[in-house]
Structures are given as structure tokens and as C-alpha cells.
Amino acid sequence: MIRKLKSINQLKVGAALSYLNIIVVNCIGLILTPFIIRSLGDSEYGLYTLIGSFVAYLTLMDLGLNNTIVRFVSKYRAEKDREEEKKFLGRIYVIYGAISLLVTMIGLILYFNIETIFSESLSIDQIKKAKVMYLILVFNIAISLPGGSFTAICNAYEHFVFPRVINFVRYLVRAITVVAVLKLGGKAISLVILDTILNIIGITTLFLYTKRNIKIRVVFSNIRFSTIIPIFNYSIWIFIIAITQSFQWNAGQLVLGINVNTVTVAVYAVGIMLGTYYGAFAGAINTLLLPKANQMVVQDKSPNELTLIIIKVGRLCNGISLLILSGFYLFGETFIHLWVGDGYRESWLVAFLVMLVTTIPLSQSFGHSILEAQNKIRFKALANLATIIIGVLIGLVLSKKFGIKGMIYPLTAAMFMNVIISNLYFRYVFGFKILLFYSKVYFKQTLLLLFLVISGNYILNYLSISFTWTNLGITIAIYTIIYSMAFYFFIMNIEEKSLLRRALS
């Protein structure tokens, strides 16, 4: 009973900290980015982001192992099989050691070819700086990949609070230190060094926490190829999903850069960035519930029982999603105008379409966690990859004539096709009650959304407000209060209201 109460408190506080982290990271990012650009200058900042993007794909070498750790450690924990857990972690760290070595080797090969790769676009001085930054970032990734396992272990043991406190503190310290470093004349290399130092401190702190508080033990014995295969049988599909998501969010910039120009890329990138912020807000709760999904699978819950818990989580996620979606529909264009100017008007279209098409998957995210726990995501991973590739290829053709619209329409169409495929998969393969899910999660909430959007749009057009940051903030706050009250009185059921009152008490 005590353990269950601790788990619930960890979940509640962890969820609150997840959203607090998202809010702080996004707000500080929006404020800090213009300061960094002014301090470094356009050329230096461009070099900083270019090398960051260039090295970022090495992070995919994680191969989905963090989710794998959560899945297997949660399973062994539910089965109370501590010995097998220690052996599993031993295999994981052997794999991570090999991955870090491989990342270092690939990084060094690319390092010695940076001058050739960027000979047409970078000066000699920029290439020298690029090589220094790249080498530091490769080292950073080589330690970050195994370092991420400590957060995964905390999640598996439902110790959600401490890792999120560490991330929160680290980001605040980084923001303050970045300002200080740039004020003292630091440049891009200084920021890379700063990030690496903070990363080492964060990893060390989490390692000590897992060792002392969770009392993790690792056994490096009986490590054979046959014992590693089950790990990759699960993680490879998580890896494919990660590749798909990276391709989904980044390929459009490359396509528009080839077919149109860099200004169009910038406008599209702002829209994609805002769309991914939406996914972070609405989907933060899912990471906390993956251990719960694994425990339910171990307990062999029926499709009906799984459907009921998916509905509960889906109603919560959808309530948050629709607030952001409707608010962005009403105020998004004004926000973008005040933030980056009229030249970025099409960013609203990109962001809104991404938000719209990801709303259903976000509310069904716990269902995806169930699939992960059952190790039955192969079809979903391959279907997602195939449809996104088709969408990007169509965008490659259409964007030559239609620009941003030629890219975002086929991409979001492909994403919507994935929603249909996933729902058919849920219904006919796993027996989830999809029609019940839609009636409980979307029917009343969608009616409320339409009423608020139509009413809000009419009022805004009637008042013809000339927005500043101040009255935009006030208007959004008023809308949030109206939405929250309407959601509480007309959408939430008795159980949800009781949970909310207990959470706030």
C-alpha cells in the first residue's frame, strides 16, 4: 500500500515537473535565442547550429535502448526477478560500450572530412572552429548515450521526480551561465564546452542516485550473442520509429532548401518547431506511464481493461491538447506576427496542420505504450516509415511549384494515414474498443472545441483588437480560464473531478 502511494505521488509530481520543464524550456528558449544570435552574430550562430545539426544524427545510435530499459526493467520488477534484471543491465552496458566506441569511430572519420564536406560553404577560420566544436560534441554524445540509461532506470522504477528536477535545474543553470559566458565575450565553442560540462555533472548525479536510492546492481556474466538478440528484437523497432520521427520533422527543411530557398526553410522550420512544442505539452504524461503499461502486460490485462485505462489517459491528454490547439487557432497568427514578424505568416499553417494531425495520436499514446510493452510495434513502425517516405517524396515534387504548401500538405496527409492505420491495428489486432474510445474521449470535447472556436473567432472579429504582447497575454489567459471552467463543468466526469480536487488539495 505504501509503495502504491509513493508511486502515485511520484506520478503526480513527475507529471507536474514534466510540464513545468516544458514550459520553462520553451519560454527560456524563445527569450534566449535572440540574445544568443545577437551575441554571436549571424555567421557564428549559423556555424553553431550547423555543426549541432550535423552531429545530431549520431544520437540515433541509441537504437531505442532507453525505451528497452524501461520495458525490461519494469517487467523484471513486476516479476520480482532481481537477478535477471542485473544480468539484463550488464548486457545493456556492454551494448552501450560498443555503441559509444562506434560513435567515436564514425565521429573521427567525419571529423577528418569536415574540411572536404564544407569546403564550399565555410571559410578556413570557420572550418577550424567547426572541427573543435564537432570533436567536443562527439565526445558529448559518446557519454550521453549510456548516460541516458540512468533516467530510463528511474522511469522504470517510477522515480519520476528526481530526474526531472535535475533537468529543470540544469536548464536554468545553463540559461544563466550562457548569458554570463556571452556577456564575457564567449563564442560558440564556449557554449559547446558549457553544455558538455553540464551534461557530465547531470549524468554523474543520476548515476549516484540510481546507485544509492534505487540500489541498482549490474552483473557482467553470461553475456552471449543469444542473450543480446531479445534486446534488439525489441529495440530495433523503437529505433525505426525514432528514425521516422527524425525524418518526419527534418526532411521538409532539406527538401525546401533544395527546391526553394533558405528563407522558405526558416519559415517552415518555425512552424515545425511550434508543432513539436504542442506534442511535448500534450504527450509528456505518456513517458511517465510506460512502466504502468509494462506492469499491465505482465499482469495479462484483457483488451477491455486496457481500453478503459487508455480512455482515462486519453481524456486527460486530449483535454490539454484541445486547449492548445484551439488557442493556437485563435491567437497563433497574432503570436507569430509579434514574435518573428509578418514574413513568417505561413509558419502558422505549418504549425496548425501538424498540431491538428497529431492530436489523435497524442490522446492514444498510452495505447502505443501498451504495444511497446507487448513488443508488437513492428507493423506500426514499418507503416509509419513507409507512409512518411511517400509523403516526403510527394513533397519533393510538389514543393518545386507550391513551396511550403507543397511540402506540408502531403506530409500531414501521410501522418493522417498513419492515424488510420494505427486505429485499424488497435481494433482488429489487439481488440481495443476504438469506437468506445472515440465516443468517450472525442465526442463531447470536440463539440466544446467547436463552440469555443466559433464563438472566440466571432468575438475577435467583432472587437477588432490591435494586439500587443500585453493584451495578447491577457486575452489568452481569459480564454484559458473559460476553457478550463467549461471543461470542468461540461466534460469531466465525477471521478476526474474528484481526482483533480485531491491533486489540488
Coordinates of all heavy atoms in Angstrom, one line a residue, residues 340-391:
V340 N 8.1 37.0 -34.6 CA 9.1 36.9 -35.7 C 8.7 37.8 -36.9 O 9.5 37.9 -37.8 CB 9.4 35.5 -36.1 CG1 10.2 34.7 -35.1 CG2 8.1 34.7 -36.4
G341 N 7.5 38.4 -36.9 CA 7.2 39.3 -38.0 C 6.3 38.7 -39.1 O 6.0 37.5 -39.1
D342 N 5.8 39.6 -39.9 CA 4.9 39.2 -41.0 C 5.4 38.2 -42.0 O 4.7 37.5 -42.6 CB 4.4 40.4 -41.7 CG 3.3 41.2 -41.0 OD1 2.6 40.5 -40.2 OD2 3.1 42.4 -41.2
G343 N 6.7 38.2 -42.2 CA 7.3 37.3 -43.1 C 7.1 35.8 -42.8 O 7.4 34.9 -43.6
Y344 N 6.7 35.5 -41.6 CA 6.5 34.1 -41.1 C 5.1 33.7 -41.0 O 4.8 32.8 -40.3 CB 7.2 34.0 -39.8 CG 8.7 33.9 -39.9 CD1 9.5 35.1 -40.1 CD2 9.5 32.8 -39.8 CE1 10.8 35.1 -40.1 CE2 10.8 32.7 -39.9 CZ 11.5 33.9 -40.1 OH 12.9 33.9 -40.2
R345 N 4.2 34.4 -41.8 CA 2.8 34.0 -41.7 C 2.5 32.6 -42.0 O 1.6 32.0 -41.4 CB 2.0 34.9 -42.6 CG 1.8 36.4 -42.1 CD 0.8 37.2 -42.9 NE 0.6 38.5 -42.4 CZ -0.3 38.8 -41.4 NH1 -1.0 37.8 -40.9 NH2 -0.4 40.0 -41.0
E346 N 3.2 32.0 -43.0 CA 2.9 30.6 -43.3 C 3.3 29.6 -42.3 O 3.0 28.5 -42.3 CB 3.6 30.3 -44.7 CG 2.8 30.7 -45.9 CD 3.3 30.1 -47.2 OE1 4.5 30.5 -47.5 OE2 2.6 29.3 -47.8
S347 N 4.1 30.1 -41.3 CA 4.5 29.2 -40.2 C 3.3 28.8 -39.4 O 3.2 27.7 -38.9 CB 5.5 30.0 -39.2 OG 6.7 30.3 -39.9
W348 N 2.3 29.7 -39.4 CA 1.0 29.3 -38.7 C 0.4 28.1 -39.3 O -0.1 27.2 -38.6 CB 0.0 30.5 -38.6 CG -1.3 30.1 -38.0 CD1 -1.6 30.2 -36.7 CD2 -2.4 29.6 -38.6 NE1 -2.9 29.8 -36.4 CE2 -3.4 29.4 -37.6 CE3 -2.8 29.3 -40.0 CZ2 -4.7 28.9 -37.9 CZ3 -4.0 28.8 -40.3 CH2 -5.0 28.6 -39.2
L349 N 0.3 28.1 -40.6 CA -0.3 27.0 -41.4 C 0.4 25.7 -41.1 O -0.2 24.6 -40.8 CB -0.3 27.3 -42.9 CG -0.9 26.1 -43.8 CD1 -2.3 25.9 -43.5 CD2 -0.6 26.4 -45.2
V350 N 1.7 25.7 -41.2 CA 2.5 24.5 -40.9 C 2.3 24.0 -39.5 O 2.0 22.8 -39.3 CB 4.0 24.8 -41.1 CG1 4.9 23.6 -40.7 CG2 4.3 25.2 -42.6
A351 N 2.4 24.9 -38.5 CA 2.2 24.5 -37.1 C 0.8 24.0 -36.9 O 0.6 22.9 -36.2 CB 2.5 25.7 -36.2
F352 N -0.2 24.7 -37.4 CA -1.6 24.2 -37.1 C -1.9 22.9 -37.7 O -2.5 22.0 -37.1 CB -2.6 25.3 -37.6 CG -4.0 24.9 -37.4 CD1 -4.5 25.0 -36.1 CD2 -4.8 24.4 -38.4 CE1 -5.9 24.6 -35.8 CE2 -6.2 24.1 -38.1 CZ -6.7 24.2 -36.8
L353 N -1.4 22.6 -38.9 CA -1.7 21.3 -39.6 C -1.0 20.2 -38.8 O -1.5 19.1 -38.6 CB -1.2 21.3 -41.0 CG -2.1 22.1 -42.0 CD1 -1.4 22.2 -43.4 CD2 -3.5 21.6 -42.1
V354 N 0.2 20.5 -38.3 CA 1.0 19.5 -37.5 C 0.2 19.2 -36.2 O 0.0 18.0 -35.8 CB 2.4 19.9 -37.3 CG1 3.1 19.0 -36.2 CG2 3.2 19.9 -38.5
M355 N -0.2 20.3 -35.6 CA -1.0 20.1 -34.3 C -2.3 19.3 -34.6 O -2.6 18.4 -33.8 CB -1.3 21.5 -33.7 CG -0.2 22.3 -33.2 SD -0.7 23.9 -32.6 CE 0.9 24.6 -32.2
L356 N -3.0 19.7 -35.6 CA -4.3 19.0 -35.9 C -4.1 17.5 -36.1 O -4.8 16.7 -35.6 CB -4.9 19.7 -37.1 CG -6.3 19.2 -37.5 CD1 -7.3 19.6 -36.4 CD2 -6.8 19.9 -38.8
V357 N -3.1 17.2 -36.9 CA -3.0 15.8 -37.3 C -2.3 14.9 -36.2 O -2.4 13.7 -36.3 CB -2.2 15.7 -38.7 CG1 -0.7 15.8 -38.4 CG2 -2.5 14.4 -39.4
T358 N -1.7 15.5 -35.3 CA -1.1 14.8 -34.2 C -2.0 14.7 -32.9 O -1.6 14.0 -32.0 CB 0.3 15.4 -33.8 OG1 0.2 16.8 -33.5 CG2 1.3 15.2 -34.9
T359 N -3.1 15.3 -33.0 CA -4.0 15.4 -31.8 C -4.5 14.0 -31.4 O -4.4 13.6 -30.2 CB -5.2 16.3 -32.0 OG1 -4.7 17.6 -32.2 CG2 -6.1 16.3 -30.8
I360 N -5.0 13.2 -32.4 CA -5.5 11.8 -32.1 C -4.3 10.9 -31.6 O -4.5 10.2 -30.6 CB -6.2 11.3 -33.3 CG1 -7.5 12.0 -33.5 CG2 -6.5 9.8 -33.1 CD1 -8.3 11.6 -34.7
P361 N -3.2 10.9 -32.3 CA -2.1 10.0 -31.8 C -1.6 10.4 -30.4 O -1.3 9.5 -29.6 CB -1.0 10.3 -32.8 CG -1.6 10.7 -34.0 CD -2.8 11.5 -33.6
L362 N -1.7 11.7 -30.0 CA -1.2 12.0 -28.7 C -2.2 11.5 -27.6 O -1.8 11.1 -26.5 CB -1.1 13.6 -28.6 CG 0.1 14.2 -29.3 CD1 -0.1 15.7 -29.4 CD2 1.4 13.8 -28.6
S363 N -3.5 11.6 -27.9 CA -4.5 11.1 -27.0 C -4.5 9.5 -26.9 O -5.0 9.0 -25.9 CB -5.9 11.6 -27.3 OG -6.3 11.0 -28.6
Q364 N -3.9 8.9 -27.9 CA -3.8 7.4 -27.9 C -2.4 6.9 -27.5 O -2.1 5.8 -27.7 CB -4.2 6.9 -29.3 CG -5.6 7.1 -29.7 CD -6.0 6.7 -31.1 OE1 -5.1 6.5 -31.9 NE2 -7.2 6.5 -31.4
S365 N -1.6 7.8 -27.0 CA -0.2 7.5 -26.7 C 0.0 6.3 -25.7 O 0.9 5.6 -25.8 CB 0.5 8.7 -26.2 OG -0.1 9.3 -25.1
F366 N -1.0 6.2 -24.8 CA -0.8 5.1 -23.8 C -1.1 3.8 -24.5 O -0.5 2.8 -24.2 CB -1.8 5.3 -22.7 CG -1.6 4.3 -21.5 CD1 -0.4 4.3 -20.8 CD2 -2.5 3.3 -21.3 CE1 -0.2 3.4 -19.8 CE2 -2.3 2.4 -20.3 CZ -1.1 2.4 -19.5
G367 N -1.9 3.8 -25.5 CA -2.1 2.6 -26.4 C -0.8 2.2 -27.0 O -0.5 1.0 -27.1
H368 N -0.1 3.2 -27.5 CA 1.2 2.9 -28.1 C 2.1 2.3 -27.1 O 2.9 1.4 -27.4 CB 1.8 4.1 -28.7 CG 3.2 3.9 -29.3 ND1 3.4 3.2 -30.5 CD2 4.4 4.3 -28.9 CE1 4.7 3.2 -30.8 NE2 5.3 3.8 -29.8
S369 N 2.1 2.8 -25.8 CA 2.9 2.2 -24.8 C 2.6 0.8 -24.5 O 3.5 -0.1 -24.2 CB 2.7 3.0 -23.5 OG 3.2 4.3 -23.6
I370 N 1.3 0.4 -24.6 CA 0.9 -1.0 -24.5 C 1.5 -1.8 -25.6 O 2.0 -2.9 -25.3 CB -0.7 -1.1 -24.5 CG1 -1.3 -0.4 -23.3 CG2 -1.1 -2.6 -24.6 CD1 -1.0 -1.0 -22.0
L371 N 1.5 -1.3 -26.8 CA 2.1 -2.0 -27.9 C 3.6 -2.2 -27.7 O 4.2 -3.3 -27.9 CB 1.9 -1.3 -29.2 CG 0.5 -1.0 -29.7 CD1 0.5 -0.5 -31.1 CD2 -0.4 -2.3 -29.6
E372 N 4.3 -1.2 -27.2 CA 5.7 -1.3 -26.8 C 5.9 -2.4 -25.8 O 6.8 -3.2 -25.9 CB 6.2 0.0 -26.3 CG 6.5 1.1 -27.4 CD 7.2 2.3 -26.8 OE1 8.0 2.1 -25.9 OE2 7.0 3.4 -27.3
A373 N 5.1 -2.4 -24.8 CA 5.2 -3.3 -23.7 C 5.0 -4.8 -24.2 O 5.6 -5.7 -23.7 CB 4.2 -3.0 -22.5
Q374 N 4.1 -4.9 -25.2 CA 3.9 -6.3 -25.7 C 4.8 -6.6 -26.8 O 4.8 -7.7 -27.4 CB 2.4 -6.3 -26.2 CG 1.4 -6.2 -25.2 CD -0.1 -6.2 -25.7 OE1 -0.3 -5.8 -26.9 NE2 -1.0 -6.6 -24.9
N375 N 5.8 -5.7 -27.1 CA 6.7 -5.9 -28.2 C 6.0 -6.2 -29.5 O 6.4 -7.2 -30.2 CB 7.7 -7.0 -27.8 CG 9.0 -7.0 -28.7 OD1 9.2 -6.1 -29.4 ND2 9.7 -8.1 -28.7
K376 N 5.0 -5.5 -29.8 CA 4.2 -5.7 -31.0 C 4.0 -4.4 -31.8 O 2.9 -4.0 -32.2 CB 2.9 -6.3 -30.7 CG 3.0 -7.7 -30.1 CD 1.6 -8.3 -29.8 CE 1.7 -9.7 -29.2 NZ 0.4 -10.2 -28.8
I377 N 5.2 -3.7 -32.0 CA 5.1 -2.4 -32.7 C 5.7 -2.5 -34.1 O 5.9 -1.5 -34.8 CB 5.7 -1.3 -31.9 CG1 7.2 -1.6 -31.6 CG2 4.9 -1.0 -30.7 CD1 7.9 -0.5 -31.0
R378 N 6.1 -3.7 -34.5 CA 6.9 -3.8 -35.8 C 6.0 -3.3 -37.0 O 6.5 -2.5 -37.8 CB 7.2 -5.3 -36.1 CG 7.9 -5.5 -37.4 CD 8.5 -6.9 -37.5 NE 7.4 -7.9 -37.4 CZ 7.6 -9.2 -37.5 NH1 8.8 -9.7 -37.6 NH2 6.6 -10.1 -37.4
F379 N 4.8 -3.7 -37.1 CA 3.9 -3.3 -38.2 C 3.8 -1.8 -38.2 O 3.9 -1.1 -39.2 CB 2.6 -4.0 -38.1 CG 1.6 -3.5 -39.1 CD1 1.6 -4.0 -40.4 CD2 0.6 -2.5 -38.8 CE1 0.7 -3.5 -41.4 CE2 -0.3 -2.0 -39.7 CZ -0.2 -2.5 -41.0
K380 N 3.5 -1.2 -37.0 CA 3.3 0.2 -36.8 C 4.5 1.0 -37.2 O 4.5 2.0 -37.9 CB 2.9 0.6 -35.4 CG 2.4 2.0 -35.2 CD 2.0 2.2 -33.7 CE 1.3 3.6 -33.5 NZ 2.3 4.7 -33.7
A381 N 5.7 0.5 -36.8 CA 7.0 1.2 -37.2 C 7.2 1.2 -38.7 O 7.6 2.2 -39.3 CB 8.1 0.5 -36.5
L382 N 7.0 0.0 -39.3 CA 7.2 -0.1 -40.8 C 6.2 0.8 -41.5 O 6.5 1.4 -42.5 CB 7.2 -1.5 -41.2 CG 8.3 -2.4 -40.7 CD1 8.1 -3.9 -41.1 CD2 9.7 -1.9 -41.2
A383 N 4.9 0.7 -41.1 CA 3.9 1.5 -41.7 C 4.1 3.0 -41.6 O 4.0 3.7 -42.6 CB 2.5 1.2 -41.1
N384 N 4.5 3.5 -40.5 CA 4.9 4.9 -40.3 C 6.0 5.3 -41.2 O 6.0 6.4 -41.8 CB 5.3 5.1 -38.8 CG 4.1 5.1 -37.9 OD1 2.9 5.0 -38.3 ND2 4.4 5.3 -36.6
L385 N 7.0 4.5 -41.2 CA 8.2 4.8 -42.1 C 7.8 4.9 -43.6 O 8.2 5.8 -44.3 CB 9.3 3.8 -41.9 CG 10.6 4.0 -42.7 CD1 11.2 5.3 -42.3 CD2 11.6 2.8 -42.4
A386 N 7.0 3.9 -44.0 CA 6.6 3.8 -45.4 C 5.8 5.0 -45.8 O 6.0 5.7 -46.9 CB 5.9 2.5 -45.7
T387 N 4.8 5.4 -45.0 CA 3.9 6.5 -45.4 C 4.6 7.8 -45.3 O 4.4 8.7 -46.2 CB 2.7 6.5 -44.4 OG1 3.1 6.5 -43.1 CG2 1.8 5.4 -44.7
I388 N 5.5 8.0 -44.3 CA 6.3 9.3 -44.3 C 7.2 9.4 -45.4 O 7.4 10.5 -46.0 CB 7.0 9.4 -42.9 CG1 6.1 9.5 -41.8 CG2 8.0 10.6 -42.9 CD1 5.1 10.7 -41.8
I389 N 7.9 8.3 -45.8 CA 8.7 8.4 -47.0 C 7.9 8.8 -48.3 O 8.4 9.7 -49.1 CB 9.4 7.0 -47.3 CG1 10.5 6.8 -46.2 CG2 10.1 7.0 -48.6 CD1 11.1 5.4 -46.2
I390 N 6.7 8.2 -48.4 CA 5.9 8.6 -49.6 C 5.5 10.0 -49.5 O 5.5 10.8 -50.5 CB 4.6 7.7 -49.6 CG1 5.0 6.2 -49.9 CG2 3.6 8.2 -50.6 CD1 3.9 5.2 -49.7
G391 N 5.1 10.5 -48.3 CA 4.7 11.9 -48.1 C 5.8 12.9 -48.5 O 5.6 13.9 -49.2

